[in-house]
Amino acid sequence: MTTTSASHPAAPPEPALSVRQVLTLERVLAGEPEVVAGAGGLDRAVRWVHVAEAADVGVMLTGGEMVLTTGVLLAGDESRQAEYIQSLHRAEAAAVVLGLGRAFPAPPEVMRRAAERCGLPLVVLHRPFPFAELTEEVQSRLVRRKFAAVSLSEAVRTDLTALITAGAPLQRLLDEVARHGACPVVLTNLAHRVLATAGERSAVDDVLRDWERVARQAGGGALDAWISAELGGRGERWGRLLLCGYRGEPANGRLLADRAAEALVLHRMLGGSALSWEEQSAQSLLTDLVSGVVPARQLLPRARAAGLPVNLRTFVPLVVPGAEPAVLDRLLRVLGLSGLAAELADGVTAVLLSLPRDRPADALTALFAARLREATGRPDALVAAADPCTGWDEVPAGLREARHVADAVAGSAAALGLPVVRLKDVHLRGLVRLLRENPDVQSFAERELDGLLRKAEPELLEVLRTYLATGRNKSRTAQLHHVSRPALYRRLEAIQGRLGVDLDDFEQAASVHIALLAHDAQQR
């Protein structure tokens, strides 16, 4: 794996061909090349091709050159042959190509041994070969690569800068990087936890399937075609960008990784989102689980790579109305619980607990709810919970159930008096919430409550709401509204008169109660 750093802007890398690539060119193959020494250095980069017959050519080199020679000035002098190879080695030449002919009808043994000791590739050409053709071919390829590299650098920088300027989210930037790289892109923190991915879904899933092992191999440089760029600024590193299985030129891959890393650092420093990358990662995963657009099984590699334990676990889907994800994250750490917390919509925060199967899920959920009340100082804070799931495929339905429960008890948490609310606790209220968008239900609510809604008497409506919520307990209703019993009786008479109902009749009271629940659900 090639590693680059994005702490400071990098210039486009010098385009290069390897010695091995040069030897596979059609024009070179016509000369029947043979590597007689230094085969371990065939992947060295060839920065330029230099034709030279001077014995002291080493002083003319700056490194990375492939030197072409017939050796005419070296014939018959073995000490000069050895020094010639050593001078090229000191000058960090990429390779030396010797054309066999009058000077050397066969590979010179002294030069071969010297090149082998230095690790310098020594290539002989068995057929006459015009060096001008080789220099022309290699130089033109290098020039084309340089222009291609500059073009890629500018295109990537322009595209990513435009996205940042437009306020694009992190995911949009990564999608653009994946488009340029034609490979999966993974963003991680320094602990190798995956924060975001981009690229073709099946290819990303393959990368994430065994992420812990893969991440360690990538960190150790054991994976070919994986290019990494570190993310950081002001002397601090805080992330890593990986191009996974990049199949283009390595120099272009390094350039793409550097440009992408620069853009991501800028995006983070400019505060492209109110959420941290870790929070965006949790939000994306939980949102996809709740929506059901992506099958749960396809999201399993993402969950595992994000650091959520998924093997032999019990999952507890929760929704905590009005809670900040950061508060819930701290609470999870304090309690030593594994889980993800993220805001799904305004004021609706989901938590997915991942517990060992031998731990009591209900007891830990109750402990979480109790500590939440302590941490927030809100004695009426509640946790809407679905039943624990032992299968990952059950998690999306569980999250939707917890969200439904939270929605059903909105505005009536105090009346329930429960720290943890489940589907069995919401009864009729839950059903009405589900049906609140139904036109027939809306019409029913308007018709039943018309006498109060038309005259806009919120005080009487509130008295009715309390009276029905307390099971038509007049004493309790009077107490909660701080009025005398006679005063309450007069208000109840006024309510009955406006609605044209008898609240002492169970069926009529139930009808009004359902209408009021539907009205409240629609208003919220």
Side-chain angles (χ1 to χ4, degrees), residues 189 193 276 278-279 324-341 351-353 359 367-368 371 375:
N189 61 16
R193 296 287 174 83
S276 70
E278 289 79 4
E279 289 170 335
E324 292 289 334
V327 173
L328 300 178
D329 274 329
R330 285 196 296 271
L331 185 56
L332 290 173
R333 289 195 295 271
V334 168
L335 295 176
L337 300 177
S338 297
L340 297 175
V351 178
L352 179 59
L353 296 180
R359 299 196 68 185
L367 175 63
F368 180 84
R371 292 294 181 84

Side-chain angles (χ1 to χ4, degrees), residues 302-376:
R302 274 175 58 188
R304 183 185 290 112
L308 184 72
V310 295
N311 294 330
L312 299 176
R313 306 292 286 191
T314 297
F315 303 102
V316 184
L318 309 174
V319 167
V320 187
E324 292 289 334
V327 173
L328 300 178
D329 274 329
R330 285 196 296 271
L331 185 56
L332 290 173
R333 289 195 295 271
V334 168
L335 295 176
L337 300 177
S338 297
L340 297 175
E343 187 174 345
L344 301 181
D346 292 341
V348 177
T349 301
V351 178
L352 179 59
L353 296 180
S354 174
L355 309 173
R357 289 189 178 174
D358 58 353
R359 299 196 68 185
D362 289 346
L364 289 173
T365 303
L367 175 63
F368 180 84
R371 292 294 181 84
L372 174 66
R373 290 186 169 191
E374 294 175 8
T376 59

Side-chain angles (χ1 to χ4, degrees), residues 31 48 75 77 84 132 150 154 192 221 259 264 285 317 339 371 483 495 512:
W48 208 245
D77 191 334
Y84 180 81
V150 171
E154 290 307 308
H192 302 297
R259 292 294 174 263
L264 293 177
L285 177 59
R371 292 294 181 84
V483 298
I495 291 171
V512 172

Side-chain angles (χ1 to χ4, degrees), residues 223-248:
L223 295 179
D224 292 333
W226 281 51
I227 300 175
S228 169
E230 293 185 353
L231 308 178
R234 300 170 184 170
E236 180 184 14
R237 293 186 303 121
W238 31 259
R240 185 175 290 109
L241 177 74
L242 289 163
L243 306 183
C244 308
Y246 181 77
R247 297 304 177 189

Side-chain angles (χ1 to χ4, degrees), residues 193-229:
R193 296 287 174 83
V194 174
L195 305 179
T197 62
E200 184 181 348
R201 185 178 299 279
S202 60
V204 171
D205 288 346
D206 287 341
V207 168
L208 298 183
R209 187 160 287 115
D210 192 12
W211 177 252
E212 290 187 10
R213 178 184 62 80
V214 170
R216 284 194 295 270
Q217 288 184 333
L223 295 179
D224 292 333
W226 281 51
I227 300 175
S228 169

Side-chain angles (χ1 to χ4, degrees), residues 72-341:
V72 66
L73 299 181
L74 303 175
D77 191 334
E78 292 187 347
S79 62
R80 180 174 289 185
Q81 294 170 22
E83 174 57 28
Y84 180 81
I85 294 295
Q86 291 167 4
S87 69
L88 293 180
H89 170 63
R90 289 192 296 269
E92 299 182 348
V96 58
V97 177
L98 175 65
L100 300 181
R102 293 180 182 177
F104 293 102
E109 186 61 21
V110 172
M111 293 180 67
R112 190 195 68 76
R113 288 199 303 268
E116 193 66 48
R117 285 195 299 271
C118 296
L120 176 69
L122 172 60
V123 182
V124 298
L125 299 175
H126 289 278
R127 292 175 62 86
F129 184 86
F131 285 166
E133 290 187 9
L134 175 57
T135 57
E136 178 186 5
E137 176 77 11
V138 174
Q139 316 301 40
S140 64
R141 285 175 179 261
L142 292 176
V143 169
R144 288 199 301 269
R145 286 182 173 215
K146 185 168 186 178
F147 279 115
V150 171
S151 176
L152 174 64
S153 175
E154 290 307 308
V156 172
R157 177 181 280 124
T158 299
D159 292 346
L160 295 182
T161 300
L163 290 173
I164 294 173
T165 303
L170 170 66
Q171 186 60 53
R172 183 67 187 86
L173 269 67
L174 294 179
D175 289 340
E176 189 66 16
V177 176
R179 184 183 70 81
H180 279 286
C183 66
V185 174
V186 177
L187 178 67
T188 76
N189 61 16
L190 295 181
H192 302 297
R193 296 287 174 83
V194 174
L195 305 179
T197 62
E200 184 181 348
R201 185 178 299 279
S202 60
V204 171
D205 288 346
D206 287 341
V207 168
L208 298 183
R209 187 160 287 115
D210 192 12
W211 177 252
E212 290 187 10
R213 178 184 62 80
V214 170
R216 284 194 295 270
Q217 288 184 333
L223 295 179
D224 292 333
W226 281 51
I227 300 175
S228 169
E230 293 185 353
L231 308 178
R234 300 170 184 170
E236 180 184 14
R237 293 186 303 121
W238 31 259
R240 185 175 290 109
L241 177 74
L242 289 163
L243 306 183
C244 308
Y246 181 77
R247 297 304 177 189
E249 291 293 335
N252 288 347
R254 290 193 295 273
L255 181 149
L256 174 60
D258 280 343
R259 292 294 174 263
E262 291 170 15
L264 293 177
V265 169
L266 181 61
H267 183 272
R268 178 167 171 138
M269 294 179 68
L270 292 177
S273 171
L275 302 178
S276 70
W277 287 354
E278 289 79 4
E279 289 170 335
Q280 290 181 61
S281 173
Q283 183 182 63
S284 174
L285 177 59
L286 292 182
T287 298
D288 284 347
L289 280 168
V290 169
S291 70
V293 173
V294 182
R297 188 151 299 279
Q298 290 186 18
L299 297 172
L300 187 59
R302 274 175 58 188
R304 183 185 290 112
L308 184 72
V310 295
N311 294 330
L312 299 176
R313 306 292 286 191
T314 297
F315 303 102
V316 184
L318 309 174
V319 167
V320 187
E324 292 289 334
V327 173
L328 300 178
D329 274 329
R330 285 196 296 271
L331 185 56
L332 290 173
R333 289 195 295 271
V334 168
L335 295 176
L337 300 177
S338 297
L340 297 175

